[in-house]
Amino acid sequence: LLRRFFGYLGYDGICCVAGEAINPTVNLPKAVMYTLIIVTALYVVAALALTGMQNYTEISVESGFPEAFASRGVMWAAQLTAAGEVITLPIVVLISGVLQPRLQYALARDGLLPHMFCEVTPAGNLRKGTIVAGTIMTFIATFVPFEYLDDFVSAGVLVAFSITNSSLVIMRRESPENTPFYLEKLLLLFNGLSFLSAVVSVHGPRNIVGKFLAFCFIVATAAVGFWISWSCPSSAVFGGKSITMGNHKRDNGNQQYFQTPFVPLIPCLGTFINWFLIAQLDFLGIFLLLCYFSLATMFYFHYGAKNSFGNNIGWDYPGDLGLSEDNEEGNDHVPSATCIANKYTIT
């Protein structure tokens, strides 16, 4: 299941270039949904074509269409599809090289990454971010075998999707009055129980004890999800109190933008399914993923949380704070969330 998900990766890249889209609040959700529909349709048609030429147990994992055409003696089609694979693979890599620096740019603008990642050349390029991302991707591609990399990449993206789902709940719901961070604690508990439920269901003993433990974890996960919906009220505006910064208030009540329906039901359900897919990894893969996630968490609390504008003063920047002028490459002035936070009060 996890390796099948790898084939769907790419639509998430649309979100990485959202800052360059026209009217992203309307067009970006449409682009994601249209891409999913088109990709799903193409995969279904491709699967029907392959299983029509070969038994599904005989389909080549490395080169499906060329081998299938060759088995039927259609050599020109085999050579054509093989050439297509050779041509399209570098294009996929180049697209990744375009998207990753823009993701780093967005994180650096908030202070979650060093300022060098949001420095822009006079021509409008993210040169430093591209060099760093390209070097790391080249190193990994050179020394890490793909049979380990595909599962790890899919699992990493699924973790990111789970964090996105949790973030959506935080933006649309609020902790009860006089109970700060109550919603965040419930979401952390929900993710932990979802992970345990998935691991026990997939890797646990197949006897009655294992099934009973998996059932208990699933019930507990569902109960926490229900309690989030019951105890945490909806935010008056998207982002809730976190976007209020002194006298700066965002009035988005009249703006037209896509709203995910049935929050927190759909995000919580998506989070649970993501963790279930991640649990398809073997224990070594799960251990390596937890190590990677632990390192990322440590970096966030030691660097990102201290320098994040959103974490210190709210997300109503950079326009009101004039930070956009500090992003030109070679500018030695590095904005500090800590010093700016002294001028504003989070309410």
Side-chain angles (χ1 to χ4, degrees), residues 3 12 14 17 52 78 107 109 112 130 138 158 163 165 168 237 250 271 279 310-311:
R3 293 192 176 185
D12 53 305
I14 298 174
V17 292
L107 293 172
R109 289 263 292 176
L112 294 171
T130 302
T138 302
L158 286 168
I163 296 174
N165 288 328
L168 176 60
V237 294
R250 179 180 300 172
T271 298
N311 188 55

Side-chain angles (χ1 to χ4, degrees), residues 152-199:
F152 198 72
V153 170
S154 297
V157 173
L158 286 168
V159 170
F161 287 174
S162 296
I163 296 174
T164 302
N165 288 328
S166 300
S167 301
L168 176 60
V169 176
I170 292 174
M171 300 297 283
R172 294 279 297 275
R173 294 278 179 152
E174 291 182 342
S175 298
E177 292 291 339
N178 303 322
T179 312
F181 301 109
Y182 185 71
L183 174 59
E184 288 80 356
K185 293 175 182 177
L186 286 178
L187 286 171
L188 183 62
L189 178 61
F190 180 85
N191 278 271
L193 288 173
S194 298
F195 176 70
L196 290 176
S197 301
V199 171

Side-chain angles (χ1 to χ4, degrees), residues 26-42:
V26 175
N27 293 328
L28 192 64
K30 291 182 180 179
V32 173
M33 288 187 288
Y34 292 161
T35 303
L36 282 174
I37 293 172
I38 294 172
V39 169
T40 302
L42 290 176

Side-chain angles (χ1 to χ4, degrees), residues 197-206 276 278-283 286:
S197 301
V199 171
V200 173
S201 299
V202 176
H203 298 285
R206 299 300 179 184
F276 180 79
I278 292 171
Q280 308 299 316
L281 290 170
D282 55 23
F283 282 111
I286 293 175

Side-chain angles (χ1 to χ4, degrees), residues 315-327:
W315 283 281
D316 230 8
Y317 82 95
D320 293 339
L321 302 178
L323 301 183
S324 59
E325 299 176 357
D326 297 316
N327 293 332

